[in-house]
Amino acid sequence: MSFDYRDTPGNTDWFIHDRFGMFIHWGVYAAAGRHEWLKKMEQMTDEQYQRYFDHFDPDLYDPAQWARMAREAGMKYFVITTKHHDGCCMWDTALTDWKVTNTPAGRDLIAPMVEAFRAEGLKVGFYHSLIDWTHPHYTLDGIHPRATDDEYVRANQNRDWDKYVEFLHGCVRELLTNYGRIDYLFFDYSYSSRPAEGLLGPGKGKDDWHADELIALCRELQPGIIINDRTEVPQDVTTPEQVQTPAALRDEDGKLIIWESCQTFSGSWGYYRDQLDWKSPETIIKLLIDGVSKGGNMLFNVGPNGRGQFEPRAVERLQAVGEWMSLNGRSIYGCGPCDLTPPPDARFTRNAAGDRLYLHMFSWPFKHIWLPGLAPRVDYAQLLSDGSELKIVPSDRVSHRLPAGAEDTLVLEIPVQKPPVEVPVIELFLK
Ligand code: GLC
């Protein structure tokens, strides 16, 4: 029965099954501790930003600990920022000196991370920024940190964009050659709709990146790799960011589109010490459930700090999500949308075989759950977290309570107390 997804070039079966990944935004900006866009937000010169390069010393970095926490949280793949918009390479590239091996970190940080996450059984994804605010031939546009620096803007005229494109493709070649099998490449991002402003060029898109060649390079080096949509050339995955879709995404033929929402703990991707708007474990779990109920994945972000650690606020939430996943993962992995309308403030998922429905209760109603049309289809119901039966109330006992014509409504009797889990899940065994 599986799920009717649109075919795409990459091997996406594992991705559709695994549903839940860890995003990691880590770079020298972690030493600043106030967002990965701080160079733009604070309009820093290269010299001002250099201090984070000079002081990036993740002496407590332990990728095996990160990988264990990701696995225990129920995450099945991870995506690491190999280079963010600041242009600093997290691996030992031969193409620039602006790399972490030249910071106090003094080593390639990608290699041990890939090894550790693979050892925990997670698939490997690389995030790679198309944008680069440091490369000497990356031309200025409105989102560049030096966009308001007239001298810098004038010097922009001498830049040779082709040299940057050669660098961009060279970095991707290194990353897809030197680190074994890479399962997913998350490019970020295109903004060609942004108009030119004075001496500042327009935003950049697929033609600027030579995206078709770049994608062909990826598929030549890593056959089967999954690639996202942010080069402006749609590939395997659509990637809404910090939003949830209102419904499953389908193409003009009605086939499901593979999508993945990426979400943060607090709104910042990079480590942000003073940001307080942190999501609760319940919210995080609901975002995951909501996505799967609409045929999507969730890539949930952690921003490690300048010492190379996940901060306590992140660790405790990952543990809470992992506890829920350890009991309820059966309603997430290998599951997807069904064609039923759930009760208010609930979500349905179903398994690929189509013989199990999972009802995720975002709020806990009093004593009964009413499921129109399901009485003839359901053989048994249980609370997934403890495997305890939920009694199906025989229709002749409820008919006086059911509106006329609702005889096919399945009525479940539920405890008055909400079960002791963040989001209770009811497993329905279909006949
Ligand atoms: C946006 C942000 C970038 C972040 C990305 C994650 O593109 O600019 O900082 O890495 O979202 O999807």
Side-chain angles (χ1 to χ4, degrees):
M1 187 158 180
S2 72
F3 299 99
D4 191 19
Y5 281 95
R6 175 179 66 182
D7 289 338
T8 65
N11 292 340
T12 55
D13 290 349
W14 69 264
F15 189 83
I16 293 166
H17 175 275
D18 289 353
R19 291 302 186 200
F20 189 27
M22 177 181 275
F23 214 167
I24 300 174
H25 275 70
W26 197 36
V28 299
Y29 45 78
R34 50 187 194 277
H35 205 286
E36 75 284 354
W37 270 70
L38 86 147
K39 187 173 185 182
K40 169 63 176 175
M41 292 151 84
E42 299 179 19
Q43 296 182 328
M44 287 184 183
T45 62
D46 292 352
E47 296 70 32
Q48 290 166 334
Y49 194 76
Q50 182 68 31
R51 61 177 177 265
Y52 308 117
F53 187 91
D54 295 341
H55 293 280
F56 182 65
D57 182 10
D59 58 320
L60 301 179
Y61 174 48
D62 177 358
Q65 187 184 54
W66 292 11
R68 179 179 48 72
M69 285 192 274
R71 175 183 53 77
E72 290 177 352
M75 293 158 161
K76 297 291 187 182
Y77 62 102
F78 88 111
V79 177
I80 174 62
T81 50
T82 56
K83 176 170 80 84
H84 205 264
H85 307 338
D86 66 354
C88 186
C89 298
M90 297 296 279
W91 76 101
D92 189 11
T93 177
L95 302 175
T96 176
D97 292 334
W98 185 242
K99 57 182 178 179
V100 284
T101 41
N102 292 332
T103 70
R107 63 198 188 287
D108 183 314
L109 298 176
I110 297 296
M113 199 184 303
V114 167
E115 184 184 343
F117 278 77
R118 269 199 197 111
E120 290 287 353
L122 278 78
K123 291 281 195 299
V124 176
F126 284 161
Y127 165 110
H128 195 72
S129 177
L130 299 158
I131 295 166
D132 189 314
W133 293 330
T134 301
H135 193 276
H137 293 291
Y138 190 88
T139 54
L140 264 66
D141 53 43
I143 69 164
H144 194 287
R146 307 310 305 146
T148 56
D149 177 333
D150 291 342
E151 183 187 337
Y152 202 95
V153 170
R154 276 192 297 277
N156 185 45
Q157 317 311 320
N158 306 321
R159 294 182 170 222
D160 179 350
W161 177 255
D162 289 342
K163 285 193 169 68
Y164 173 69
V165 172
E166 183 184 357
F167 170 74
L168 169 64
H169 288 223
C171 286
V172 172
R173 178 178 291 278
E174 280 187 345
L175 287 165
L176 299 188
T177 302
N178 301 337
Y179 295 92
R181 179 191 176 94
I182 306 304
D183 301 287
Y184 182 18
L185 208 156
F186 190 113
F187 284 115
D188 187 43
Y189 66 91
S190 299
Y191 49 110
S192 61
S193 59
R194 185 185 182 103
E197 302 155 63
L199 289 177
L200 293 172
K204 296 174 173 66
K206 60 179 186 290
D207 297 334
D208 300 288
W209 318 124
H210 295 212
D212 289 332
E213 292 165 42
L214 189 57
I215 289 163
L217 173 66
C218 294
R219 299 203 180 284
E220 171 206 333
L221 294 172
Q222 294 281 345
I225 193 168
I226 294 172
I227 299 174
N228 74 350
D229 57 343
R230 296 192 182 183
T231 62
E232 280 182 350
V233 179
Q235 289 293 305
D236 301 287
V237 187
T238 296
T239 55
E241 178 175 314
Q242 303 217 59
V243 294
Q244 293 295 117
T245 67
L249 300 181
R250 294 184 182 275
D251 67 12
E252 56 282 356
D253 300 324
K255 286 196 177 286
L256 284 168
I257 290 171
I258 300 171
W259 65 275
E260 172 197 71
S261 73
C262 47
Q263 298 280 5
T264 62
F265 280 120
S266 68
S268 173
W269 300 96
Y271 179 63
Y272 199 139
R273 181 192 65 209
D274 301 341
Q275 199 158 49
L276 304 176
D277 186 23
W278 278 62
K279 298 175 180 68
S280 66
E282 180 186 357
T283 297
I284 296 163
I285 292 163
K286 287 179 176 178
L287 286 170
L288 173 61
I289 295 164
D290 180 69
V292 175
S293 77
K294 296 161 182 171
N297 285 25
M298 182 167 77
L299 186 63
F300 201 83
N301 183 76
V302 183
N305 62 26
R307 296 294 298 276
Q309 288 202 308
F310 291 179
E311 64 182 292
R313 292 178 291 187
V315 173
E316 64 194 34
R317 284 163 173 81
L318 289 172
Q319 286 169 343
V321 172
E323 282 165 27
W324 187 87
M325 288 297 284
S326 66
L327 295 174
N328 300 284
R330 195 155 85 208
S331 71
I332 298 294
Y333 301 129
C335 290
C338 71
D339 54 6
L340 296 165
T341 302
D345 212 17
R347 301 293 187 278
F348 268 128
T349 62
R350 72 164 174 86
N351 67 351
D355 60 355
R356 300 280 176 88
L357 281 177
Y358 296 97
L359 184 59
H360 302 79
M361 303 305 292
F362 284 19
S363 58
W364 192 250
F366 174 68
K367 214 166 176 186
H368 293 104
I369 295 174
W370 312 77
L371 299 171
L374 279 180
R377 296 177 57 191
V378 174
D379 183 44
Y380 184 77
Q382 67 177 9
L383 197 56
L384 183 54
S385 52
D386 68 354
S388 61
E389 180 185 20
L390 292 176
K391 285 186 182 171
I392 295 172
V393 184
S395 56
D396 59 5
R397 268 194 43 209
V398 295
S399 55
H400 62 287
R401 299 190 207 126
L402 281 176
E407 290 71 24
D408 64 354
T409 295
L410 178 74
V411 185
L412 298 180
E413 199 165 85
I414 61 173
V416 172
Q417 293 288 331
K418 175 189 168 190
V421 286
E422 293 287 3
V423 179
V425 182
I426 296 169
E427 185 171 37
L428 300 172
F429 293 71
L430 300 183
K431 290 174 182 168

